[in-house]
Amino acid sequence: MSVKSPISRRRFLRTLTLGACLMPFSRSLGRMSNVLGLHPETPLVDLPKVPLIPPQVMLPPFHSAIIGTPHLALTFDDGPHPKLTPRLLDLLADREVKATFFVIGEKVEAHPDIARRIVEEGHEIANHTWTHPVLSKISAARVTEELRLTHEKVLHVTGSTMTALRPPYGAFNGEVRKIAFDRHAYDTIMWSVDPLDWKYRNSARVRRELLKGAAPGAVLLSHDIHATTVAAMPETIDLLQTRGFHLTTVQALQAMDKSGRLDSNQRPPAPKAGALPS
Ligand code: NI
């Protein structure tokens, strides 16, 4: 684009300014100049200043990743539990496996040493609210407090700034997601495999269901507050590893995700459950 006269140059700059105002999610000056048809190297000295840190946008809830490697995420909700979570951390450490822990704030307050251990041992810690309510059925003010109290407690106890929310019972609505994103830039994390370990307190069943659903990119849901679940883990993890899976955190899985985080009806098909990694 060439700018010949002062008038058209002023108009051009006005257009750019308007464009900048209307494009709060523009990732960079370079990208904006591409949108406007400018060469990325075009000097933009007359442009108004825009933030150097790219603003994030709220993405659809994350259920699983599309990846080219046999990684999957192990996730544990509702802890920390005073006896079971340390036991789980021991067996994860023995197997050099990392996982994501969606913790409840009031339990972090009760067991800060265990929350600290989760972070110190390289696991991901994420928000599962303060008291485990159905977020879609409580007021916006209460949702805000449930998230804020937990966020601040975990930050205070572990030094870790959480970046993800798993809503209890998987229950959320647009308002919950907006509060989570606007206040804390939280990503909403769901799952792709649910062994119903809270319902069926049977280690063999938990193991069978997790193995059945395991696939590259999967997110496995479990609860580290049930003895039967923690008892199922040694053999479950060993069998997953024998089958060639690499177990990791949600965050690590997301870093490998090639899905583009499209809504599920726009995405390419997820790997078939039970498929062996290639
Ligand atoms: Ni829960």
Side-chain angles (χ1 to χ4, degrees):
M1 184 187 287
S2 66
V3 183
K4 282 175 186 161
S5 75
I7 291 169
S8 64
R9 180 177 167 79
R10 269 203 302 277
R11 185 174 299 154
F12 172 59
L13 289 174
R14 220 167 35 229
T15 309
L16 277 185
T17 308
L18 181 66
C21 295
L22 292 176
M23 294 173 64
F25 299 127
S26 176
R27 286 196 176 262
S28 67
L29 275 175
R31 184 169 145 194
M32 192 192 297
S33 61
N34 280 338
V35 170
L36 294 169
L38 297 173
H39 187 275
E41 302 303 321
T42 305
L44 294 167
V45 288
D46 291 334
L47 269 181
K49 281 193 166 36
V50 295
L52 290 175
I53 299 167
Q56 291 179 277
V57 292
M58 189 163 74
L59 296 166
F62 180 78
H63 295 260
S64 62
I66 298 205
I67 56 174
T69 56
H71 289 79
L72 53 74
L74 269 188
T75 69
F76 297 97
D77 291 11
D78 297 359
H81 183 283
K83 289 203 169 67
L84 297 175
T85 306
R87 195 181 301 165
L88 175 62
L89 287 168
D90 286 345
L91 66 92
L92 292 176
D94 286 346
R95 290 160 178 79
E96 298 184 350
V97 164
K98 304 298 179 208
T100 300
F101 289 80
F102 291 94
V103 294
I104 294 179
E106 60 183 6
K107 293 189 183 175
V108 172
E109 184 172 54
H111 312 292
D113 48 329
I114 305 174
R116 212 172 291 125
R117 196 182 150 195
I118 289 172
V119 172
E120 282 171 0
E121 297 189 3
H123 303 288
E124 181 183 6
I125 195 164
N127 200 326
H128 198 47
T129 74
W130 187 262
T131 63
H132 208 268
V134 180
L135 291 176
S136 55
K137 293 193 174 165
I138 60 176
S139 69
R142 264 200 71 198
V143 171
T144 304
E145 280 305 275
E146 286 278 341
L147 302 191
R148 183 186 68 81
L149 287 170
T150 309
H151 189 89
E152 290 177 1
K153 178 57 69 181
V154 167
L155 180 59
H156 180 248
V157 163
T158 71
S160 179
T161 301
M162 298 186 289
T163 59
L165 165 71
R166 174 174 278 163
Y169 315 101
F172 62 85
N173 56 28
E175 188 172 45
V176 169
R177 298 235 305 129
K178 187 165 164 43
I179 292 167
F181 181 75
D182 288 351
R183 300 271 173 162
H184 304 292
Y186 282 160
D187 210 353
T188 306
I189 308 298
M190 302 296 278
W191 57 86
S192 60
V193 181
D194 181 2
L196 300 177
D197 62 327
W198 55 272
K199 190 173 176 183
Y200 303 104
R201 306 292 174 84
N202 177 320
S203 297
R205 189 183 197 281
V206 172
R207 183 181 66 235
R208 188 181 71 232
E209 292 302 311
L210 290 174
L211 288 166
K212 200 162 82 182
V219 177
L220 310 189
L221 167 67
S222 295
H223 298 81
D224 54 329
I225 53 167
H226 302 312
T228 39
T229 299
V230 174
M233 281 304 138
E235 206 178 340
T236 304
I237 293 170
D238 293 346
L239 283 167
L240 286 169
Q241 290 183 323
T242 302
R243 292 183 186 186
F245 285 108
H246 296 273
L247 282 49
T248 188
T249 64
V250 170
Q251 224 169 35
L253 199 66
Q254 288 183 312
M256 294 179 255
D257 186 19
K258 295 175 185 155
S259 75
R261 295 294 296 278
L262 298 168
D263 284 321
S264 53
N265 59 352
Q266 295 175 290
R267 288 174 51 162
K272 208 175 154 194
L276 292 178
S278 52

